[in-house]
Amino acid sequence: MQRLSEIVERIVRLLALLGAVGVIAMMLHVALDVTMRGLFGAPIPATVEIVSHYYMVLIAFLPLAWVERRNGMVSVEVLEGLLPGPLLRVSDVLVAVLVTAIYATIAVITWKTAMTNFNSGSFVIVLNYRLPTWPTYFLPPAGFGLAAFVTAWRAIETLLGAARPEQVHES
């Protein structure tokens, strides 16, 4: 179990790294566009389209599993302090299973959307050039699917008696 936990941790760190690279690439791209526009009156073509269709999608969806692994999503713990240990564990498992089902459902729905856009070859026209957008439609199902995997793994860890996520991954 420890080995699989380490593999999950490496995967979510890689996703966080990809998200960070996306943020840095977007910042450099936009900064260069602003500089080129200001100094030479010649902005980089398609910056808005690339930022909105590529960078933002990458940044928003790929790191979901990393955020889930660190228990960083918004949560409301109204009764948690009143629950004894065994009931708290049951609550944690039920929440993880429910969240897994929600993420998996969204992954399936976004996968269908991705396939529709892949099959139609979706694109945007930028300066009389077709900029393909269909590849980015695969990022949401990847992000939601991996988040579903992480929350399912959290349920298994909790059932097997692992420490609560916020105790393990505080940073």
Side-chain angles (χ1 to χ4, degrees):
M1 181 164 137
Q2 180 63 28
R3 180 73 178 133
L4 190 52
S5 210
E6 290 171 6
I7 292 169
V8 169
E9 190 63 29
R10 285 188 180 135
I11 290 169
V12 297
R13 284 184 182 172
L14 175 65
L15 295 174
L17 178 63
L18 287 173
V21 168
V23 169
I24 292 168
M26 181 178 66
M27 288 180 358
L28 292 173
H29 189 151
V30 171
L32 186 58
D33 179 63
V34 169
T35 303
M36 294 294 291
R37 178 178 297 140
L39 292 178
F40 305 109
I44 299 173
T47 295
V48 171
E49 289 80 6
I50 292 170
V51 166
S52 61
H53 290 284
Y54 283 86
Y55 297 131
M56 295 304 283
V57 178
L58 176 104
I59 292 166
F61 294 107
L62 276 191
L64 281 174
W66 179 80
V67 173
E68 277 296 344
R69 185 68 177 166
R70 273 144 190 76
N71 211 26
M73 288 295 189
V74 174
S75 65
V76 179
E77 300 157 347
V78 176
L79 300 175
E80 186 175 89
L82 303 174
L83 295 176
L87 278 179
L88 186 58
R89 178 167 287 169
V90 168
S91 171
D92 288 346
V93 169
L94 289 175
V95 167
V97 168
L98 176 64
V99 171
T100 299
I102 292 168
Y103 277 139
T105 301
I106 296 171
V108 168
I109 291 167
T110 57
W111 175 260
K112 289 177 182 177
T113 302
M115 289 306 296
T116 299
N117 282 284
F118 170 74
N119 290 329
S120 69
S122 70
F123 60 90
V124 293
I125 301 287
V126 180
L127 301 173
N128 294 323
Y129 175 74
R130 290 176 147 193
L131 178 66
T133 57
W134 64 264
T136 62
Y137 283 91
F138 288 96
L139 294 172
F144 287 120
L146 291 166
F149 176 77
V150 167
T151 54
W153 182 246
R154 180 187 309 146
I156 292 167
E157 285 181 320
T158 304
L159 276 173
L160 297 176
R164 299 191 74 212
E166 64 271 11
Q167 296 167 342
V168 175
H169 302 288
E170 277 187 359
S171 51

